[in-house]
Amino acid sequence: MTSSTRRPLVAGNWKMNGDKSLVEKIESQLNQAKLSNMDWVICPPAPYLGLFSSSTKLGVQNVSQFDSGAHTGEVSVSMLKEFGCGYAIIGHSERREDNFESDEIVAQKVAKVLEAKLTPILCVGEPESVREAGTLFDYIAAQLNAVLDLVGISAFANLVLAYEPIWAIGTGKTASPEQAQEVHAFIREHLAKQDSNVAVGIVILYGGSVKGSNAKELFSQADVDGGLIGGASLNPEDFLSICLAANQ
Ligand code: PEP
């Protein structure tokens, strides 16, 4: 990354993994390290949120688009705030697929998170078939536009984006640094059409099989400002090495 205004961020998405002992292991590993040039966030399954110390930045993997009421199984933004949660991953491809979250529902969730003054980590990314068909940029633009249409470009000053090509998630098939950079630059240009300051300032993470061994090269790309990490966030040493790569 090159812009001095963008602070690197690494967010760990535990998905439906981890246990109480991992909370302690991650915190002791990361707190020993000097990570003064970046921020790290853990997004554990919701039941573990209350087990972290207050110094750890926390996020969730999903939130309801509703305030309260008869929505069995859902968790509201106000509940998350009570547990000191500052971030919410919205629109992860697994939720889009497993829970049929459309671009419109994703946009509603982003709006709800922003309204509560939490930071959404909005995920966008294409399936392999879209990349092969050559419609990658249209696909990403449509995902962004659904949110832009609802919340407006100025709200993007308060959110984080994550580009996660679906074919790279949990597959070990990382996008090359050039492939990641190409899409990140496209996203920034797309936002710049509406507001160049917002486009320059927004943090855009890359997600998809990031490991200690490839993080440095990915994060050295001009428009890659850190990572959204799945599998490697479950191993404290691997997660630390990714955070160290972002800290440089
Ligand atoms: C993710 O689930 O957001 C992710 C990027 O997973 P992984 O790092 O395991 O590919």
Side-chain angles (χ1 to χ4, degrees), residues 13 15 92 94 164 168-170 207-210 228-231:
N13 173 14
K15 312 192 188 196
H92 191 282
E94 287 155 16
E164 297 209 309
I169 296 179
S209 298
V210 179
L228 180 54
I229 318 299

Side-chain angles (χ1 to χ4, degrees), residues 11-15 89 92-94 123 162-174 206-211 227-234 242:
N13 173 14
W14 286 10
K15 312 192 188 196
I89 299 173
H92 191 282
S93 56
E94 287 155 16
C123 300
Y163 168 56
E164 297 209 309
I166 297 172
W167 47 271
I169 296 179
T171 58
K173 218 165 131 183
T174 319
Y206 167 76
S209 298
V210 179
K211 306 181 257 298
L228 180 54
I229 318 299
S233 71
L234 299 168
I242 294 167

